Amino acid sequence: MKYQFTLPNFPESIFEMKYATWFGEQSLYKDDVPMERSTEKGKPFLIPTKSGEVLKAYPKKDFPSIVQALEIDQIQHNIVEKLRWYDFAIALLPFCLVFIFNGKSILVAIALVAFLNNLDILRSNNTQKNKYLKVIGQTAVIAALYFVVIQLLDLLK
């Protein structure tokens, strides 16, 4: 996942955080230039300023978001906009399928992947209507595919 944002300390710069969900690897870019990462505790990103000073930006957990925030000089800066409670509720739609289809373990794994994808969709730059339609559409496609797979497995028994 990639997220673009700005920081108050650098009003004329565009930052981009590249975040690998599955492996947790993070890369920070300032104006398309990769920022070095320190090996000290917390592994902060080292961001040079115009004055030659280097600011340390520590990645911090920002529950319930899976995208971490950056802490600079003990001030937390969110990389992505916080989702509202109803955005999380609609992102959880795939888990309703677990109850509808009697809780098969493979469906729980599929629902988890779909939930994470839904969070990414809801943070995109689309209109609210398009975001919700994509989430509902993805859930409907998963339900249809899962139903077909269950029917095929029953036929093979």
Side-chain angles (χ1 to χ4, degrees):
M1 292 183 273
K2 296 182 201 174
Y3 300 102
Q4 284 191 343
F5 59 98
T6 58
L7 291 172
N9 303 38
F10 305 92
E12 297 163 5
S13 295
I14 302 293
F15 286 86
E16 183 174 76
M17 177 70 81
K18 292 183 181 179
Y19 186 74
T21 305
W22 302 113
F23 302 108
E25 294 178 27
Q26 300 170 328
S27 302
L28 180 65
Y29 295 82
K30 177 185 169 198
D31 300 324
D32 294 324
V33 176
M35 296 291 101
E36 188 179 333
R37 197 147 188 198
S38 175
T39 56
E40 72 180 73
K41 184 178 179 181
K43 295 188 177 183
F45 290 101
L46 305 174
I47 306 172
T49 64
K50 288 182 180 179
S51 65
E53 183 183 1
V54 175
L55 291 180
K56 294 180 181 179
Y58 293 88
K60 296 291 181 183
K61 297 280 185 208
D62 190 24
F63 185 80
S65 179
I66 59 173
V67 179
Q68 295 184 340
L70 288 177
E71 185 178 290
I72 301 172
D73 294 331
Q74 299 180 352
I75 299 171
Q76 187 166 316
H77 303 279
N78 293 324
I79 293 173
V80 294
E81 181 182 333
K82 289 195 179 270
L83 295 176
R84 295 167 297 273
W85 69 268
Y86 50 86
D87 289 329
F88 276 104
I90 198 164
L92 288 168
L93 267 178
F95 285 102
C96 294
L97 301 175
V98 174
F99 299 108
I100 293 170
F101 289 110
N102 208 13
K104 305 276 186 201
S105 60
I106 188 71
L107 185 57
V108 173
I110 293 169
L112 179 61
V113 171
F115 168 70
L116 294 174
N117 191 45
N118 285 347
L119 291 178
D120 203 31
I121 290 170
L122 291 169
R123 288 190 179 104
S124 69
N125 291 331
N126 292 328
T127 64
Q128 283 299 105
K129 180 181 172 182
N130 283 345
K131 291 177 191 180
Y132 294 142
L133 287 174
K134 284 181 180 182
V135 168
I136 292 168
Q138 174 179 265
T139 303
V141 167
I142 290 169
L145 288 174
Y146 189 74
F147 182 75
V148 168
V149 168
I150 291 297
Q151 297 303 316
L152 289 173
L153 290 175
D154 285 344
L155 286 175
L156 294 174
K157 284 184 181 179

